[in-house]
Amino acid sequence: MSIYKELQRECYEANMQLDALKLVVYTFGNVSAVDREKGIFAIKPSGVPYEILKPEDIVIVDYDANVVEGKLRPSSDTKTHAYLYQNWESIGGISHTHAIYSVAWAQAQLDIPIFGTTHADHLTADIPCAPPMHDDLIEGNYEYNTGIQILDCFKEKKLSYEEVEMVLVGNHGPFTWGKNADKAVYNSKVLETVAEMAYLTRQINPNAARLKDSLIKKHYERKHGKNAYYGQ
């Protein structure tokens, strides 16, 4: 029996949620879950359909994207996950999808404006879109460089990965993260929902105004502030 069984189960269940929430097309998506004490993470194998995926198929890799345990090849995005885990020490799970509205904003190379309180319930900033990767990086270690692309975006926009748990990679798609794999998937669904709402808002009114600061502050703090009162 694998010593990574519980981590594989966590990762498997999170990946199955991507499919259940209709955030993936065919096999285009992946979730990983990290074990910080062991210095490894679990990730979906590349190109395996969700309907036949099993917990024991989940691949265990180290932070250099070397396979520690598993018979299948890990996700093609493994090096991106590894880079984020190496550099952002408080995240416990990462999710990547090709969800339609999130990808549409990424392809448009636009941040998603904070138009409403659904967005403000989760973060106080526009959802950032990292610029498309430079040609020399595309021709190099592409997936590893995608991680660099994400970190550079956060540095340039002066954002905290602990407050903004999602990003669009220009012309590619969304990555989200959280304290565990379940929270990463939750953030993927939030991102897709907000992306759709923002798209529809722009269709109804191309000149729609950004949510005013007082409402941003109120809705974020009632869920996340020191005197939060949302929920039980």
Side-chain angles (χ1 to χ4, degrees):
M1 181 181 295
S2 172
I3 63 172
Y4 306 113
K5 183 177 179 181
E6 290 305 313
L7 188 65
Q8 286 176 309
R9 170 63 65 177
E10 177 189 352
C11 183
Y12 166 79
E13 291 178 352
N15 274 282
M16 295 306 288
Q17 274 296 303
L18 282 190
D19 189 43
L21 292 168
K22 302 186 185 304
L23 292 171
V24 292
V25 179
Y26 296 118
T27 61
F28 309 156
N30 47 74
V31 184
S32 65
V34 73
D35 184 326
R36 291 289 182 181
E37 291 185 1
K38 292 184 175 68
I40 50 89
F41 63 96
I43 194 164
K44 181 182 178 289
S46 180
V48 176
Y50 290 90
E51 59 267 24
I52 66 171
L53 184 67
K54 302 184 294 296
E56 56 267 31
D57 294 331
I58 299 297
V59 187
I60 305 297
V61 299
D62 64 21
Y63 293 164
D64 292 319
N66 299 310
V67 174
V68 174
E69 181 175 296
K71 297 178 180 178
L72 301 174
R73 280 192 308 232
S75 165
S76 58
D77 296 300
T78 296
K79 289 182 179 180
T80 306
H81 290 241
Y83 189 86
L84 295 180
Y85 285 131
Q86 283 179 317
N87 287 276
W88 289 345
E89 295 182 353
S90 68
I91 61 176
I94 298 169
S95 174
H96 171 55
T97 78
H98 286 248
I100 292 173
Y101 287 92
S102 302
V103 169
W105 282 92
Q107 290 180 169
Q109 301 178 29
L110 293 173
D111 295 351
I112 301 177
I114 183 166
F115 283 133
T117 60
T118 307
H119 187 146
D121 282 339
H122 297 90
L123 64 159
T124 60
D126 295 349
I127 297 168
C129 181
M133 192 181 292
H134 295 300
D135 289 349
D136 59 329
L137 297 179
I138 293 170
E139 294 167 4
N141 194 345
Y142 175 68
E143 288 79 14
Y144 180 87
N145 291 337
T146 300
I148 296 175
Q149 183 183 12
I150 292 170
L151 260 70
D152 284 349
C153 173
F154 270 64
K155 289 175 184 176
E156 181 182 336
K157 294 178 182 289
K158 298 180 180 175
L159 297 172
S160 164
Y161 75 90
E162 294 176 305
E163 295 178 8
V164 180
E165 297 182 321
M166 54 192 70
V167 68
L168 302 173
V169 175
N171 297 126
H172 185 177
F175 282 83
T176 64
W177 48 88
K179 63 182 179 180
N180 53 38
D182 282 345
K183 184 63 188 303
V185 172
Y186 172 89
N187 285 334
S188 287
K189 184 62 176 180
V190 168
L191 172 52
E192 177 65 2
T193 301
V194 169
E196 182 176 4
M197 289 175 173
Y199 166 78
L200 292 171
T201 300
R202 280 270 175 90
Q203 297 307 300
I204 295 167
N205 180 5
N207 299 311
R210 191 174 187 271
L211 186 65
K212 60 183 182 179
D213 289 345
S214 57
L215 277 173
I216 293 172
K217 184 173 185 291
K218 179 64 176 180
H219 273 262
Y220 186 80
E221 291 190 351
R222 72 175 190 159
K223 273 195 171 183
H224 308 284
K226 63 180 181 179
N227 296 315
Y229 57 88
Y230 177 89
Q232 300 303 313

